[in-house]
Amino acid sequence: MEKRIAIAAPDRIAVARYGGLTVDAWRWIGTLALIAVAAALPFTLSKYHVFELTMVMIYAIAVLGLNILTGYNGQISLGHGGFFAAGAYTAAILMHRYGVPYWATIPPAGLICFVLGVLFGLPALRFEGPYLALVTVAMALATPQLLKYFDTWTGGQQGINLAKPVPAFGLDRDRWLYLLILVVLLVAIRVAANILHGRTGRALVAIRDHPIAAAAMGIDTARYKTLAFGTSTMFTGIAGALSAIVIGYVSPESYSLFLSISFLVGSAVGGIATIGGAIVGGFFIQFVPNLANDISDAAPWAIYGLAMLLFMYLMPHGVVGSLGPWFARLAQQIQPPGAAVGKSADEYKRWEA
């Protein structure tokens, strides 16, 4: 006689709670608290420091774009300064020659840089590693010369002076621009997270780690590499447009090869395969050269180089890439007081998603 054994599946799954809230809820609370602090910060600082933090966020958007390309897809680029310049000049020309409102220049700058990135990424599919890096260097070297050549549009050596935007809500100009760029940064982080934590992100990482295996699994490597290049340059072009709006001036000398190198350095210091590392990279790009000048007028770049070496020696995976796993292990070791409160299986699945 066949016996049937009934297995009772529990309808309640224990999920750790801290202070009556799940880890996911605490994560949202922490994120909202950080956003609130960032929004209130400009009202406690001088205009100069507000401008510095605004530039940090702009550089963070550019580094975020480079992280998508290099950190998650494995394509090395030393030419993102050229796409940063393309976005800046797109916004400047639209504002100066056609009277387009400053806020309306951001989408065209991102779109144009996306198209340029796709067009540039197609021939770059033939190259890998250092060879691709050399190809992108050509973009960074040629951009300042091209900007001088088409002087009818770009203003040549003199550049383009822009009228500062009119603030809204009764705020002064610097604080209004800070809040505007904070919103753009948050949207960029959300978009990047949706891309990288989904199917597209898994495909990009698979191509980075095992391109032959990824192709064998049916992943269109050429398509995803080109998409990564276009998305990366779109983020960088938006950052360039924002820099033109904030600074109110563009010139070819502002977009040299060193800017592209700074983006790569900021990406490596913050965490080349992380999203949060872009913000750390923005701080490094904005503040470390100034601190190096303050420490030594005679050899500031020696101080800059030593700072890079120190970061790479102590945190070889970047600040966020090195500290993130440590904090994750620390959180796992902390046991909440009392027993965990149960949740239904459906609720647990939604929490995991």
Side-chain angles (χ1 to χ4, degrees):
M1 184 177 179
E2 183 180 355
K3 293 183 179 180
R4 295 184 179 181
I5 301 174
I7 300 176
D11 60 349
R12 309 291 289 178
I13 299 177
V15 177
R17 288 176 178 264
Y18 298 80
L21 297 175
T22 64
V23 176
D24 189 55
W26 280 114
R27 186 182 296 115
W28 275 105
I29 292 173
T31 301
L32 293 176
L34 287 176
I35 294 174
V37 170
L41 197 59
F43 300 98
T44 64
L45 300 174
S46 65
K47 291 183 178 181
Y48 176 71
H49 290 106
V50 171
F51 171 79
E52 285 186 317
L53 292 179
T54 302
M55 294 305 300
V56 166
M57 293 188 292
I58 291 173
Y59 290 140
I61 296 172
V63 173
L64 179 60
L66 186 59
N67 282 358
I68 294 173
L69 180 67
T70 302
Y72 286 88
N73 194 228
Q75 300 186 71
I76 302 174
S77 173
L78 288 172
H80 266 51
F83 297 105
F84 191 86
Y89 268 89
T90 298
I93 292 172
L94 289 175
M95 292 169 62
H96 182 71
R97 293 180 64 92
Y98 300 102
V100 178
Y102 67 93
W103 52 267
T105 63
I106 299 174
L111 179 60
I112 288 176
C113 288
F114 177 84
V115 174
L116 289 175
V118 169
L119 294 177
F120 194 84
L122 288 174
L125 293 173
R126 298 175 176 269
F127 302 96
E128 297 287 344
Y131 301 100
L132 176 60
L134 289 176
V135 171
T136 57
V137 166
M139 175 71 178
L141 293 175
T143 297
Q145 301 301 319
L146 291 174
L147 293 175
K148 294 176 184 178
Y149 182 78
F150 295 100
D151 55 349
T152 304
W153 291 87
T154 65
Q157 188 77 27
Q158 302 298 323
I160 301 175
N161 285 299
L162 301 173
K164 291 295 183 70
V166 179
F169 304 112
L171 299 172
D172 64 81
R173 184 179 294 111
D174 294 304
R175 290 177 175 84
W176 164 245
L177 290 175
Y178 174 95
L179 295 176
L180 173 66
I181 292 169
L182 175 62
V183 172
V184 177
L185 174 62
L186 294 175
V187 172
I189 291 175
R190 184 70 265 174
V191 171
N194 288 341
I195 293 173
L196 298 174
H197 295 164
R199 179 180 178 181
T200 301
R202 292 191 293 271
L204 295 179
V205 173
I207 294 170
R208 178 198 67 188
D209 294 340
H210 302 286
I212 297 177
M217 290 188 297
I219 296 176
D220 190 342
T221 57
R223 174 190 172 191
Y224 278 103
K225 280 187 173 183
T226 305
L227 178 64
F229 222 110
T231 304
S232 174
T233 55
M234 179 186 70
F235 278 79
T236 305
I238 290 173
L242 293 173
S243 72
I245 294 170
V246 171
I247 298 174
Y249 176 70
V250 292
S251 67
E253 285 73 17
S254 302
Y255 309 104
S256 62
L257 176 62
F258 179 73
L259 180 62
S260 298
I261 296 175
S262 296
F263 289 152
L264 187 60
V265 170
S267 177
V269 168
I272 202 164
T274 63
I275 294 177
I279 298 176
V280 178
F283 275 98
F284 187 91
I285 295 171
Q286 176 63 29
F287 288 109
V288 171
N290 295 334
L291 291 175
N293 282 322
D294 294 338
I295 294 173
S296 174
D297 292 334
W301 296 118
I303 304 298
Y304 183 84
L306 289 175
M308 289 172 51
L309 290 175
L310 183 64
F311 272 103
M312 291 296 97
Y313 180 77
L314 296 177
M315 301 177 184
H317 299 290
V319 175
V320 175
S322 298
L323 296 182
W326 183 82
F327 280 115
R329 288 192 297 268
L330 181 63
Q332 290 176 356
Q333 294 173 0
I334 298 175
Q335 297 295 330
V341 178
K343 263 195 171 187
S344 67
D346 292 338
E347 289 174 334
Y348 181 78
K349 291 176 182 179
R350 288 197 298 269
W351 178 75
E352 280 289 302

